[in-house]
Amino acid sequence: MTTTESEILVTLPSLGEGVEAATITRWLKAVGDPVELDEALLEVATDKVDTEIPAPAAGILVQITEPEDAVVVVGAVVARLAIAAPAREAPDVPARPLPVPDPTPAPAAVDGANRTSECPPPITQAVTDPRADRVEKLPRIRRTIAHRMVESLQTAAQLTTVVEADLASVAIRRAQMQQQFLDRTGARLSYLPFVVVAAVDALAEHPIINATINTDCSEVTYHGSVHLGVAVDSSKGLMVPVIRDAQKQDVVEIGAAIASAAAAVRGGSIRPDELSGGTFTITNTGSRGALFDTPIINQPQSAILGVGAATERLVPDRDSHGALLIRTRPMVYLSLTYDHRLIDGADAARYLTSVRTRLESWAS
């Protein structure tokens, strides 16, 4: 049995709802390279995410029809693969002739005495000054983030309010749930899922925080569900996967969903439709030790909650008789950035107080 070759067209697949085109950022294979089924063939970028496009079959990459930096629509042909197929007969292939050696003799070696006058000067390796400036092309995802952040600041009148919450009650419940969460997810349970649940629950009492104002400030949409964006840091840049209907999930479910979304972002498997449709966002700025910051709203949302690092601090308190006590407590700063066109400072303070109350009265 012999083989012959047939071709298969590689097209840009659907990248999620509302995504009609993408930019080819990098070809991972060159013409002539063998590829396996589902092996990453190229990288593309949309306005939401960078993602890899797998090979639809095993074969040889014989043609690249769209170069890097080309913008292609979904369904467009970007390459051709040659794949092996069985055939009954194969034509005789003449043997390739052996190369004929060049009859011209090689030049004689130059002895040490004449080398200086007859040989060119030695090639010296360039030395890079470590203090010299280095110019690199900004990755597409970083450019997208830059444009969106500036657009957000130019669109909304943004203000940040900060409160401090005591996590002592949460710490007790967290210790009780640690093994259950580890068995289910293989990861340790942090404070973040508790803060997320408290923040999401409080939105039911403060619907203006989970709302969207239209472009001419004439209408506001109060969202019935909480589609929660969770900011995830990755080697490619910040991405915000969305957890749908977060108001229906408990601490363990939220923790597992956050871990799964973060793994998808960092592993490059997150899809563009998993990064859209959020109504409210939480960013865990404390994951790298920051106490708090002033996050920027993820448009067209109206608010974003920043969660700082939980730190043990000495906190004044009173006993049942009113005597002063100094206790060590796990404390966290919660910072809410909001669109002042829709939300007033009093609204933000009431919402943060509601979140804090939930955390400080967490039942064990």
Side-chain angles (χ1 to χ4, degrees):
M1 181 72 68
T2 58
T3 61
T4 185
E5 287 187 345
S6 60
E7 289 185 353
I8 186 170
L9 300 178
V10 181
T11 60
L12 182 67
S14 173
L15 298 173
E17 183 180 357
V19 179
E20 299 178 353
T23 301
I24 297 176
T25 54
R26 185 162 65 115
W27 278 97
L28 303 175
K29 295 289 184 177
V31 171
D33 286 350
V35 295
E36 299 296 329
L37 173 65
D38 291 331
E39 183 179 8
L41 192 59
L42 69 154
E43 290 181 348
V44 301
T46 70
D47 61 349
K48 296 181 176 67
V49 68
D50 290 1
T51 189
E52 295 177 346
I53 304 300
I60 304 294
L61 181 60
V62 295
Q63 183 184 18
I64 292 175
T65 59
E66 297 290 348
E68 293 181 358
D69 293 329
V71 178
V72 294
V73 298
V74 171
V77 175
V78 296
R80 293 189 300 119
L81 289 178
I83 58 176
R88 294 184 179 180
E89 296 181 359
D92 293 333
V93 179
R96 181 177 296 178
L98 296 176
V100 178
D102 187 350
T104 305
V110 181
D111 61 24
N114 297 327
R115 183 168 299 155
T116 303
S117 59
E118 297 184 24
C119 291
I123 299 175
T124 58
Q125 185 175 1
V127 178
T128 302
D129 185 352
R131 298 169 298 177
D133 294 344
R134 185 177 73 254
V135 179
E136 295 180 353
K137 186 177 180 180
L138 200 63
R140 181 179 176 84
I141 189 169
R142 191 71 253 171
R143 282 180 279 164
T144 299
I145 293 171
H147 291 316
R148 285 189 166 184
M149 294 301 97
V150 172
E151 180 185 12
S152 179
L153 290 173
Q154 292 175 340
T155 299
Q158 302 193 27
L159 188 62
T160 302
T161 298
V162 182
V163 300
E164 190 174 26
D166 185 338
L167 297 179
S169 296
V170 170
I172 296 173
R173 184 59 179 147
R174 176 189 176 212
Q176 294 170 344
M177 298 176 60
Q178 192 69 255
Q179 190 59 50
Q180 173 195 2
F181 189 78
L182 182 63
D183 293 341
R184 175 166 176 174
T185 67
R188 293 182 66 256
L189 179 61
S190 69
Y191 286 115
L192 181 62
F194 294 91
V195 177
V196 169
V197 169
V200 169
D201 287 350
L203 290 174
E205 296 178 5
H206 306 274
I208 198 170
I209 307 298
N210 189 42
T212 300
I213 191 171
N214 68 351
T215 53
D216 64 359
C217 301
S218 61
E219 292 182 347
V220 58
T221 300
Y222 297 93
H223 301 291
S225 296
V226 180
H227 300 316
L228 180 70
V230 180
V232 175
D233 180 38
S234 74
S235 59
K236 293 183 177 180
L238 187 70
M239 299 185 192
V240 187
V242 176
I243 300 172
R244 312 289 172 182
D245 295 309
Q247 79 280 359
K248 298 179 181 179
Q249 303 181 44
D250 60 21
V251 168
V252 174
E253 291 169 331
I254 284 289
I258 292 173
S260 176
V265 166
R266 291 166 183 153
S269 61
I270 196 76
R271 292 176 56 84
D273 56 351
E274 297 175 287
L275 297 168
S276 61
T279 62
F280 179 73
T281 294
I282 290 180
T283 177
N284 185 21
T285 59
S287 62
R288 295 295 183 266
L291 292 178
F292 68 89
D293 68 357
T294 56
I296 297 175
I297 296 170
N298 188 14
Q299 294 292 332
Q301 299 167 25
S302 293
I304 179 172
L305 180 69
V307 182
T311 57
E312 297 282 347
R313 293 205 294 278
L314 295 176
V315 178
D317 200 359
R318 298 280 179 179
D319 64 14
S320 58
H321 303 290
L324 180 63
L325 299 174
I326 302 296
R327 293 176 175 174
T328 302
R329 316 287 280 187
M331 305 296 293
V332 64
Y333 288 110
L334 305 175
S335 53
L336 185 76
T337 297
Y338 50 94
D339 189 342
H340 209 347
R341 296 177 302 169
L342 177 64
I343 302 169
D344 291 331
D347 299 319
R350 281 190 289 265
Y351 170 73
L352 287 172
T353 299
S354 183
V355 176
R356 179 175 60 191
T357 300
R358 283 170 164 75
L359 292 172
E360 294 183 346
S361 60
W362 201 285
S364 58

